[in-house]
Amino acid sequence: MPGAEDSRRAEVERLAHQELGEDQAQRERDVEAIRQWLKQTASKDSDSTYRTTILRYLRGCKYSLEKTKAKLDVYYSCKGDNPDMFQGRDPSDPKLRSILKMGLMIPLPGYDPQGRKVIFGRLGAWDPTTQRPEDLFKAAGMVFDALFLDDEQTTIMGIVQANDMTGLTFSHVTSLPLSWSNAC
């Protein structure tokens, strides 16, 4: 007798096929095609060949290889243009550890009724006088990366974020670099 977990997995697979056009056999061919394209693109770094990263982008582009390549190009351009947000993603770094412990972005257990992962954000909890916004975004990126790498349902169904804006002030907003208005 199938359990709730089997039923949920079957529903997620059905939606991946129906909404994203995901086909098991084609999925593996598409992952390999993008992997080969990334290997030929010298500006991409070695983490780009991970299957889960490629699959995340394929799903987000509904399995269009050209759209996937374009999004990966944008991602790697952003990564190169904003190294403070993408380099040194080490959860044991004291600066990042303090941000993660603050609970600025907390993935809640389970999913909402539509099967999406729920993130609770406490945006006013950080102190812009002692913590760099770049480190804040770096920590947030690490949380999202962990979710997308560890939870296949999240890559298919998506996320929803609820934010508590308590404590958020004008000084928080003005501490963000102006160059981020053009950021990725």
Side-chain angles (χ1 to χ4, degrees), residues 45-133:
D45 55 23
S46 62
D47 75 350
S48 63
T49 58
Y50 288 131
R51 181 182 178 280
T52 51
T53 300
I54 294 169
L55 190 54
R56 176 172 61 182
Y57 279 89
L58 280 166
R59 285 178 172 153
C61 296
K62 295 188 177 187
Y63 284 84
S64 163
L65 294 180
E66 292 311 308
K67 286 181 183 176
T68 300
K69 291 175 184 179
K71 279 199 177 187
L72 283 166
D73 267 338
V74 168
Y75 170 76
Y76 282 103
S77 293
C78 289
K79 192 173 178 177
D81 293 344
N82 300 286
D84 280 349
M85 290 175 20
F86 290 95
Q87 292 176 356
R89 289 179 149 193
D90 180 359
S92 64
D93 177 311
K95 292 181 292 185
L96 296 177
R97 194 158 191 73
S98 71
I99 292 170
L100 292 168
K101 283 184 174 184
M102 259 191 286
L104 292 173
M105 296 190 69
I106 303 165
L108 300 180
Y111 305 91
D112 76 353
Q114 288 79 37
R116 301 170 298 188
K117 178 54 83 177
V118 178
I119 309 292
F120 182 69
R122 298 175 52 235
L123 304 179
W126 68 287
D127 181 354
T129 64
T130 61
Q131 294 166 318
R132 296 174 346 124

